[in-house]
Amino acid sequence: MGTRNLRRRETPLHSEVEALRWAIESMLHHSTCQRFGTDCKDLIAMAADPQAWPNFSTELEIIQLLKLCFPDFK
């Protein structure tokens, strides 16, 4: 799919969240891919329990809505 030049974020973790959001949106528009991977433990924890990460609530709310399009999101 390629890469995207994302704007500089507050922390590297914010950049990881933004990249995941972009990847999910891209797959919705361009592919039937149903798998996403990351080596970021914090990002995995965020996807599993977004309420535990209030500083990322806006970004995680968008990701939670996008996850609904993938019934087997893990």
Side-chain angles (χ1 to χ4, degrees), residues 11-57:
T11 67
L13 191 52
H14 279 91
S15 296
E16 290 277 351
V17 172
E18 180 72 14
L20 177 62
R21 183 198 55 78
W22 174 79
I24 294 171
E25 287 177 348
S26 295
M27 291 299 106
L28 282 174
H29 297 287
H30 304 292
S31 176
T32 58
C33 174
Q34 299 257 334
R35 294 181 184 219
F36 301 92
T38 182
D39 61 352
C40 180
K41 289 182 181 180
D42 287 336
L43 186 56
I44 294 167
M46 284 180 182
D49 186 16
Q51 291 79 19
W53 299 82
N55 291 344
F56 294 87
S57 61

